[in-house]
Amino acid sequence: MEAMISDLLAGFPDAVLSAQSTFRAVMEAMARPGTIQRVAATVGVPSGLTRAAAALALTLFDHDTPVWLDPALATGPDVATWLKFHTGAPVVAETVRASFALIRDGGLLPDLESFALGSGEYPDRSTTLILQVASLGEGRAYELRGPGIDGAATLCTAIAPDDLFDRLAINEELFPRGIDVVLVHDDSMVAIPRTTRLVVAGG
Amino acid sequence: MNAPTYNFAYLDEQTKRMIRRAILKAIAIPGYQVPFASREMPMPYGWGTGGVQVTAAILGPTDVLKVIDQGSDDTTNAISIRKFFAKTAGVTTTTSTEVATVIQTRHRIPEASLRAGQVLVYQVPIPEPLRYLEPRETETRRMHALAEYGLMHVKLYEDIARFGHIATAYAYPVKVNARYVMDPSPTPKFDNPKMDNCPALQLFGAGREKRIYAIPPYTSVVSLDFEDHPFTRYKFDAPCALCGAADSYLDEIVTDDKGSRMFVCSDTDYCEGRQAAGHRGSQAAAPHKEAAHD
């Protein structure tokens, strides 16, 4: 049975300004890879999503952006129903069609090459992964370099899959095609655009 | 009251989302031109509709906005865009490069160094650096995909063959992050070095041509040149006639119909700041006393 509207969690309290502040956080994250940005807006969070993932969905998703949900999110009805009501984004089963992929269980992350990587002429037509991780700010240290980083940046995080950065090495081979990732935890986010390179992974 | 009301910062939310997604991809692929569904704005193409749409998509109530046109805060275009956002978004506006969080610009980069956290939004007329060399979009797309930029070097070489030096003085092509050749918009090449390793985020919006591109902070931006004809930033013969600055980009002002002229800073905020600090040029009058804008 379809959920009643009254059962649905709220979206943003202020659709305009909450989306604006969340966008500035993700724009800053994308412009300064490795830095932790926070979502200031309050938002209804369906079970399975983190606050930052929910806020990003309301900020960036709409009828123009097919969304792929990982099995951990697709099995429960909450997330799909909430997304459909608040954003109108079509949920798709094929990873290659997705503008965005929401991933709760990174351990089951599909092969990155199964997502849209863009074309040489249009590398922007690629999937952005929104990956929920166990922590941002503590955990294993990763030293990153690339555009947006003054020298090197150190990101501490506990990520599944633990070989995520090894898998993201395809970004170097494929550039300008590639996958952009936003790691989210609670109300925090860190972006790893396709230009960011792992220098050293610490303990 | 039935007066028409507008959404915050004029654009509707669906349009802002579309532009915001394009901005994120533009940052992720430095120098690559992301197509976007440019809207009609309440000003004609050529007046900065691309920059205005980018600014509208990023602007928040706590931002402080500065708008410059050819370096000046006081021209019609700059004033009307500043008023547009003061009215539709209620943001604070300023003429100070230092204070601004978002700076929309046409054809100049401010003289004062930009800092981390600032966003510089360029108004771009022709985003495609290869367009005058190859009119077909399908071909220029492919040239970018293959990083096939020989034609651009031929163009610069032809400058040398005809004039003895690279005569391109504005919209001087740059290579971003050692990959994409990009048009820095018609800024004088004097400003090109400021784009390299800049702490601020640089966003470019072309409204008529429907393209958005970006340079993330701390990204390499190299002006194209040759080993035996390196890129040079021209130097002016005289300092600014008002503030005496010898390091700024100067505008030529014709002062009568007998060929008299003076050279003054194109960046009005920089020039006013120097005059307020007591610097004087050869034609400086009384200390600068213009009231604050707005």
Side-chain angles (χ1 to χ4, degrees):
Chain A
M1 195 183 100
E2 285 287 310
M4 303 288 287
I5 300 285
S6 56
D7 297 338
L8 274 170
L9 283 160
F12 281 136
D14 182 331
V16 174
L17 297 183
S18 302
Q20 189 276 333
S21 67
T22 305
F23 170 70
R24 282 296 276 275
V26 69
M27 182 176 88
E28 197 65 15
M30 203 56 98
R32 298 171 202 282
T35 62
I36 297 175
Q37 305 294 330
R38 286 182 200 286
V39 169
T42 54
V43 56
V45 183
S47 70
L49 283 188
T50 64
R51 201 171 124 207
L56 283 173
L58 296 183
T59 302
L60 299 172
F61 297 4
D62 58 29
H63 53 82
D64 282 339
T65 59
V67 173
W68 183 80
L69 300 178
D70 84 340
L73 292 173
T75 46
D78 288 7
V79 174
T81 311
W82 181 83
L83 281 178
K84 188 175 177 183
F85 179 78
H86 286 292
T87 74
V91 173
V92 293
E94 306 90 341
T95 47
V96 73
R97 285 184 56 206
S99 297
F100 293 94
L102 272 177
I103 293 138
R104 179 186 180 188
D105 181 2
L108 298 174
L109 182 68
D111 186 356
L112 290 182
E113 296 198 50
S114 71
F115 291 101
L117 301 167
S119 64
E121 281 82 1
Y122 294 95
D124 56 305
R125 295 178 183 174
S126 58
T127 308
T128 302
L129 301 188
I130 298 173
L131 176 61
Q132 301 191 165
V133 299
S135 81
L136 286 173
E138 47 196 66
R140 195 169 172 200
Y142 297 89
E143 190 184 326
L144 307 173
R145 281 180 191 275
I149 300 172
D150 186 11
T154 303
L155 168 65
C156 294
T157 177
I159 323 178
D162 55 11
D163 64 346
L164 177 71
F165 280 99
D166 297 331
R167 295 210 214 172
L168 285 173
I170 61 164
N171 278 340
E172 189 159 6
E173 297 161 28
L174 292 173
F175 193 84
R177 302 166 70 220
I179 290 281
D180 308 309
V181 183
V182 183
L183 307 175
V184 291
H185 171 73
D186 190 19
D187 65 347
S188 308
M189 65 177 105
V190 170
I192 311 293
R194 68 190 71 183
T195 48
T196 301
R197 303 286 169 259
L198 176 70
V199 189
V200 199
Chain B
M1 194 173 102
N2 292 318
T5 54
Y6 296 103
N7 191 21
F8 177 82
Y10 185 77
L11 290 176
D12 62 278
E13 289 303 296
Q14 203 276 326
T15 298
K16 285 187 196 167
R17 270 195 299 275
M18 172 272 294
I19 294 173
R20 287 167 178 169
R21 291 193 296 261
I23 290 172
L24 294 183
K25 287 298 176 192
I27 295 170
I29 317 167
Y32 165 73
Q33 301 163 49
V34 183
F36 81 109
S38 179
R39 300 295 194 244
E40 291 225 15
M41 298 301 287
M43 62 191 75
Y45 287 137
W47 284 67
T49 54
V52 166
Q53 289 179 78
V54 170
T55 299
I58 68 174
L59 210 59
T62 58
D63 276 312
V64 180
L65 177 70
K66 170 183 166 82
V67 184
I68 51 174
D69 174 6
Q70 303 273 18
S72 170
D73 293 281
D74 308 328
T75 59
T76 311
N77 196 198
I79 291 170
S80 61
I81 292 173
R82 208 161 53 222
K83 282 187 174 168
F84 176 76
F85 284 115
K87 186 172 183 177
T88 60
V91 292
T92 309
T93 60
T94 183
T95 58
S96 162
T97 302
E98 176 70 21
V99 171
T101 56
V102 176
I103 303 173
Q104 183 172 325
T105 177
R106 172 177 177 270
H107 301 195
R108 276 309 311 281
I109 300 172
E111 305 290 358
S113 306
L114 300 177
R115 57 183 159 77
Q118 286 181 315
V119 185
L120 185 59
V121 179
Y122 295 74
Q123 302 170 197
V124 182
I126 309 283
E128 177 51 72
L130 303 166
R131 182 60 68 233
Y132 289 114
L133 308 171
E134 169 52 66
R136 289 168 294 182
E137 172 73 4
T138 47
E139 288 304 304
T140 52
R141 282 263 151 203
R142 183 165 302 159
M143 289 155 80
H144 283 296
L146 301 174
E148 176 50 68
Y149 295 125
L151 207 53
M152 186 57 91
H153 279 100
V154 170
K155 189 234 178 211
L156 295 175
Y157 169 73
E158 283 179 350
D159 268 9
I160 295 169
R162 289 171 65 189
F163 305 109
H165 63 279
I166 298 178
T168 305
Y170 67 95
Y172 190 106
V174 294
K175 190 170 254 191
V176 180
N177 192 31
R179 177 57 178 80
Y180 279 98
V181 165
M182 189 195 90
D183 185 335
S185 86
T187 52
K189 73 173 181 178
F190 180 90
D191 285 339
N192 274 20
K194 296 177 193 165
M195 308 178 104
D196 180 42
N197 207 35
C198 177
L201 170 64
Q202 301 172 75
L203 301 176
F204 298 78
R208 179 180 44 214
E209 302 290 324
K210 302 174 173 53
R211 298 289 184 273
I212 287 171
Y213 52 104
I215 306 173
Y218 308 112
T219 299
S220 92
V221 179
V222 177
S223 302
L224 298 184
D225 62 0
F226 299 97
E227 271 178 29
D228 53 345
H229 284 272
F231 174 82
T232 52
R233 195 187 193 196
Y234 44 73
K235 215 173 156 327
F236 293 87
D237 295 336
C240 169
L242 294 180
C243 77
D247 58 350
S248 68
Y249 185 78
L250 303 180
D251 280 342
E252 181 180 2
I253 313 280
V254 175
T255 51
D256 60 22
D257 59 359
K258 300 183 181 64
S260 305
R261 59 202 61 210
M262 65 192 287
F263 289 88
V264 299
C265 291
S266 126
D267 184 334
T268 51
D269 174 56
Y270 183 74
C271 197
E272 287 169 13
R274 279 182 53 87
Q275 290 177 65
H279 296 280
R280 291 287 176 275
S282 59
Q283 297 187 49
H288 196 80
K289 276 202 195 114
E290 191 177 336
H293 298 280
D294 298 317

